Amino acid sequence: LEKVDVDFTCPVSTNWLPSANASGGTPGAANSVAGIILDEVQPLLLRSYCPDSISVVMVFNEPLDPNEALTIQHYIFSPTVNPVEAVFEDAFLQRVKLTLASVLVPGKIYTVAVSGVTDCAGNEVPDESISRFGVLDSVSADGIIINELLFNPYNDGYDFIELFHAGYNIIDLSNVKIESLDLENGLIDESEKIIEEPWLIFPGDYLVVTENPTAVASHYRSSYPFNFMEAGNLPSMNVDEGHIAISDNEKVIDALHYFEDYHFDLLEDFKGISLEKINPLFNSSNASSWHSAAGSAGFATPGLKNSQYADIMPGDKEVILSPELFSPDNDGIDDVVTIV
């Protein structure tokens, strides 16, 4: 391995390449891959979490300049809490841990706004860089539901499962598993813990779980890199039929027995098209809760509001059609009619 740019001191893998010299290396001579690393991309604050009740860890997408990242004045909290120390939590300079002067209130949602923090090349975080964090007041993950599913990806694509937080509490996903169930007896075939470290999700949040976030984002409009989680392994999902579940401490939170014919009948090919839940509060077990993502939205909406979303308000004594006029052509405009 040879370093590309000896003046670029950030610990990034892109600054190292296999030697291009015919002998396999260049000991005592200029590196065969020598060049200049140009970085014009702003660092992003992806998320935050609390390892305990008096500290918060902020996760960035690339290494930071220590002089700026460890300056506590660059972090403004709401409600107000005062940081007293800043250190890096990892060797890659991407996680900043702030120790706070006071204990955080369990269940309360705090925000941290970051400004003036730069990466090694001097690029500064965007002005609107804000992240939420908090200490759990419950270990239960009730409220997490399956909201979108891609089980027949493009040939160079990857499956994904989109989760939605339909509850009211701060939830840590480090105890949540995604499981595939046997189609005959409903017993667990595969079970994968989606993340080992703390990962907080808040009411109204989406989270895309996939083995390759960049590949998924390359095919669809999405919230990437925000609200994407890279899973080491996802349970296998068959193209024709499958049964998946989300569990927390062995308790099933939500489950879906899907079939390929849940897709819109007039589609000629289902490859690369996700199933979206029409409303997150609908029962995942009902076929009528699901519809193919709209073609106008790119056939999937990972990390975004579903293209087929319908906001249904039940009436008191009358039957309501919503919308009154509908056109089932999968263009994302009034494709689905709901009768309440």
Side-chain angles (χ1 to χ4, degrees):
L1 282 177
E2 297 181 343
K3 181 173 279 190
V4 176
D5 189 344
V6 296
D7 295 320
F8 192 80
T9 57
C10 272
V12 294
S13 61
T14 52
N15 200 22
W16 292 88
L17 290 173
S19 176
N21 188 280
S23 64
T26 54
N31 288 348
S32 61
V33 298
I36 298 175
I37 295 291
L38 295 178
D39 180 3
E40 299 178 349
V41 179
Q42 289 178 296
L44 299 175
L45 173 58
L46 300 180
R47 61 187 182 90
S48 302
Y49 64 90
C50 296
D52 50 56
S53 61
I54 58 166
S55 62
V56 55
V57 174
M58 287 159 290
V59 181
F60 293 82
N61 67 326
E62 63 172 322
L64 303 176
D65 180 345
N67 293 325
E68 303 296 343
L70 301 185
T71 300
I72 60 176
Q73 287 79 13
H74 289 323
Y75 305 97
I76 305 299
F77 293 87
S78 179
T80 301
V81 292
N82 297 314
V84 295
E85 182 186 33
V87 297
F88 280 114
E89 183 78 349
D90 67 329
F92 298 102
L93 312 185
Q94 293 181 229
R95 297 174 184 241
V96 178
K97 179 181 179 181
L98 291 177
T99 301
L100 309 174
S102 56
V103 175
L104 299 171
V105 178
K108 191 169 188 175
I109 298 177
Y110 297 81
T111 63
V112 55
V114 181
S115 63
V117 172
T118 63
D119 60 17
C120 298
N123 301 304
E124 189 172 328
V125 295
D127 291 336
E128 65 274 12
S129 294
I130 297 175
S131 180
R132 290 168 294 173
F133 65 94
V135 176
L136 306 186
D137 58 356
S138 170
V139 296
S140 172
D142 287 342
I144 300 297
I145 59 99
I146 302 169
N147 193 56
E148 186 174 357
L149 183 72
L150 180 67
F151 51 86
N152 186 4
Y154 295 116
N155 292 337
D156 59 344
Y158 282 77
D159 295 341
F160 72 77
I161 297 173
E162 180 190 80
L163 307 179
F164 179 77
H165 187 348
Y168 303 97
N169 299 323
I170 304 170
I171 291 176
D172 182 1
L173 295 172
S174 60
N175 290 320
V176 172
K177 296 179 180 178
I178 294 179
E179 301 168 334
S180 63
L181 308 181
D182 186 278
L183 298 177
E184 298 295 330
N185 54 34
L187 298 178
I188 296 173
D189 263 347
E190 299 177 72
S191 181
E192 301 289 349
K193 195 172 183 180
I194 60 176
I195 193 76
E196 292 291 339
E197 66 180 40
W199 189 300
L200 303 184
I201 185 170
F202 298 86
D205 278 0
Y206 301 92
L207 182 68
V208 181
V209 183
T210 177
E211 295 176 3
N212 194 326
T214 55
V216 171
S218 69
H219 286 292
Y220 308 104
R221 295 195 293 272
S222 70
S223 64
Y224 181 83
F226 304 101
N227 304 321
F228 268 71
M229 175 191 289
E230 182 175 350
N233 288 290
L234 274 184
S236 57
M237 293 185 286
N238 296 331
V239 170
D240 56 343
E241 176 188 4
H243 198 175
I244 60 170
I246 306 169
S247 70
D248 172 34
N249 294 317
E250 312 310 323
K251 172 189 173 185
V252 173
I253 307 168
D254 195 20
L256 165 64
H257 187 173
Y258 67 85
F259 297 85
E260 186 179 54
D261 61 12
Y262 279 12
H263 275 296
F264 181 55
D265 286 341
L266 298 184
L267 289 171
E268 294 182 0
D269 186 6
F270 304 131
K271 184 175 285 294
I273 303 176
S274 73
L275 281 178
E276 294 181 332
K277 186 176 281 187
I278 297 171
N279 187 297
L281 300 183
F282 287 1
N283 190 328
S284 297
S285 300
N286 293 339
S288 60
S289 299
W290 299 90
H291 197 281
S292 303
S296 60
F299 292 116
T301 55
L304 302 174
K305 187 176 181 179
N306 287 348
S307 62
Q308 303 291 7
Y309 174 83
D311 190 8
I312 306 302
M313 299 297 293
D316 186 15
K317 296 181 180 179
E318 56 185 342
V319 174
I320 297 175
L321 299 182
S322 178
E324 292 184 355
L325 298 177
F326 69 103
S327 55
D329 55 3
N330 209 51
D331 64 350
I333 302 173
D334 298 336
D335 288 333
V336 180
V337 63
T338 303
I339 303 172
V340 182

